[in-house]
Structure formats: structure tokens, C-alpha cells
Amino acid sequence: MARQLTLDLGHTPALGRSDFLVTPANALAMTTLDRPETWPQGRMLLIGPEGAGKTHLATIWSAETGAARMPARALRPDLVDYLAAEDGAVVIEDANRIGASAGAEQALFHLWNLCAARGCWLLLTARSAPREWDMVLPDLRSRMAAMPQTRIEAPDESLLAAVLVKLMADRQLVTPPGLIEWLVPRMDRDLGLARRLVDALDRQTMAERRGLTRSLAADILATLTEAEGVNAPDQGAEPEVATEAEPRADLSGGPDSQADGEGVTSPKPTSADALPTADQDGTDAPTDPNPSDPPPDSDPQG
């Protein structure tokens, strides 16, 4: 079969409140973020594994509170005043990466204090607890260790299934009946693996101009799990169910715009409007500074 040239045009995920899939693994975290007025001293740390929906929740929260957002590694002391608005709100994403930069650590320390002085809510997101962040400043370590926390727990089967459904819908993949139910018990409860699986399925169906089938999903899942040191899934003996490929965007006509996963920002209407923001998988992407009242350019993130 002739293969089609595929271009990495990305996709635009849905990151509104109605798009967030609530399960027992994340319900408490969502409830906690919905009540910032109850946070001790107006601070909260949201912890969860890769792909669990931290940035989706942060996007909802920032949209509803008018919060400024910035990836932790882009923090600089000269940006703190822009972020900590009087009676405002701010989100610092991927805080587990803060130890990579002494300047970012110093900035977070000052942001902590300034938010308290100005009555500004402070939300951090991270993949791990503060003891694993490799921070240098003792004062910052002690403050992060004392910060109240809420967690997105390791995914149960219902969350894994819901994430697979959403990822495939975001990429306009037509899912054969029963495919999600077939995949879930055959793969690790790893939302990062779910994301890589759907990405590979999207690329393969586009390259081969074919619909998604159980056989293709089984082959790609086996390849991914073998590469990651996990036992390959049992394909089972159930008959394959195929779907016709749904019309997709024409790849030959030029690239579409891309928004990568969890990284949509909803900045507060202040001079911090155009500060850097973080993307879904932890890759930080600063936005351009506000030309009318620009903070100094922040470092690009990897």
C-alpha cells in the first residue's frame, strides 16, 4: 500500500470545563481547585503524573479566576511583581523543574511572599512532591514542603478509558466499537503511554490512509510496550472491527495552527497578560511580552 507523506501539524485539544473527564482519580482535585477561598493562606499544590490533566485543570482555574500563568523554569525575580497582582491569582506550572535554575528558585521564593502580602491566590502544578524537586534554597524547600497539596491519583481503568476517548476525539480518530474496552485491560495504567499510543495511531492511519482497527492498535501497543520494557499485550482471539476513515484535514494544503495539549493559557487582564506559559507535557513555551508594558523576555524552555 502506498504511504502518504504525513506532516506534524499537531492538534487542538479541548480544554474547557465541560471537556474535563471527572473520575474518582481526579474528582477531589477538581473540587479543591473549585474552592480557592478555602486554601490555607491562598496557596495550593496540584500533583499528578504525566498526562493526568494538571494543565487542563490549571487552564480551567486560570480562565475562571483570571490568573496569570507561567512555567516554573521561566520564572525570574524581575517578573514577580507582574505576576502577583493585588487580590489576583497566579499559576506556576511544572514546579518540579524549579531546581534547574537558581534564578527561578529565588523568583518563586519572592512570589510566595508577595502573593501572601497582596492576597493573591497561588496555584502550583507538579509531577512529584517537593522533596523530589532538587531545590537549592533552604527557605524555599521548607515553604514548598509545608504547602497544602491536592492530588490527581494514579489512573484507574475508568480514567484511562476516558482519557483514551478524549485523546482520540481530539485527533478526530474514528474508534471501532469495543476498541477502548479492549485496550484498557491490556495496557499499563499510564496516561503518558495512552498519549503516545494515540499519537502513533494518528500518524499511522494518516500515513496509510486507513481507518483505525483493533489489529493496528494491538500492533502499535505491542511496539510501544516492548520499547518501554513492558510485556506485549495479548491480542486475543476476538474478531477485528474496522471503521472507515473519517474525512480528515487535507495535509497537502499547508499546515494548520497547533496548540499542544495542555498548554492553552487564560491570562488575567493585567500587565502580566503575555507572560510565558507551559504546555501539556511539560514543555515550556513563553509567549511574547506585552508590547505596551513589557516585562523582560523570559528564557525559552525545553
Side-chain angles (χ1 to χ4, degrees), residues 210-271:
R210 61 182 291 190
L212 176 58
T213 65
R214 182 178 299 175
S215 175
L216 177 62
D219 288 345
I220 291 179
L221 178 59
T223 299
L224 290 174
T225 52
E226 181 179 354
E228 297 177 14
V230 181
N231 291 333
D234 177 11
Q235 295 191 23
E238 298 180 42
E240 174 181 312
V241 180
T243 60
E244 294 296 325
E246 186 176 87
R248 308 287 294 281
D250 182 5
L251 296 182
S252 62
D256 296 329
S257 60
Q258 177 176 358
D260 190 7
E262 288 187 73
V264 178
T265 64
S266 300
K268 67 171 71 175
T270 70
S271 57

Side-chain angles (χ1 to χ4, degrees), residues 60-227:
I60 295 169
W61 190 79
S62 63
E64 295 179 357
T65 62
R69 292 172 62 189
M70 177 176 285
R73 286 169 58 185
L75 273 173
R76 299 198 314 266
D78 58 314
L79 298 178
V80 169
D81 188 58
Y82 288 95
L83 291 168
E86 195 77 34
D87 297 322
V90 60
V91 182
I92 303 300
E93 299 191 69
D94 304 318
N96 51 287
R97 298 185 174 194
I98 196 73
S101 167
E105 285 194 42
Q106 191 69 38
L108 183 56
F109 178 77
H110 290 316
L111 182 64
W112 173 283
N113 293 329
L114 192 56
C115 282
R118 294 182 175 179
C120 179
W121 288 331
L122 175 61
L123 172 64
L124 306 185
T125 72
R127 292 187 183 181
S128 57
R131 63 179 176 273
E132 301 176 29
W133 295 0
D134 196 28
M135 291 174 285
V136 175
L137 293 178
D139 287 343
L140 182 62
R141 284 202 306 266
S142 64
R143 282 162 174 74
M144 293 298 101
M147 193 170 190
Q149 302 176 3
T150 187
R151 290 179 176 267
I152 300 176
E153 302 296 342
D156 52 19
E157 288 196 356
S158 62
L159 178 57
L160 180 59
V163 167
L164 285 169
V165 168
K166 182 180 185 302
L167 290 172
M168 291 189 184
D170 284 344
R171 293 176 180 270
Q172 302 177 10
L173 282 169
V174 181
T175 308
L179 177 61
I180 301 298
E181 294 80 0
W182 185 89
L183 280 170
V184 167
R186 290 171 171 81
M187 60 187 292
D188 279 0
R189 294 181 184 179
D190 179 346
L191 299 180
L193 174 60
R195 194 177 307 283
R196 292 188 291 276
L197 172 63
V198 174
D199 179 67
L201 288 171
D202 186 40
R203 290 174 180 274
Q204 195 72 12
T205 54
M206 293 281 279
E208 298 183 2
R209 296 184 180 182
R210 61 182 291 190
L212 176 58
T213 65
R214 182 178 299 175
S215 175
L216 177 62
D219 288 345
I220 291 179
L221 178 59
T223 299
L224 290 174
T225 52
E226 181 179 354

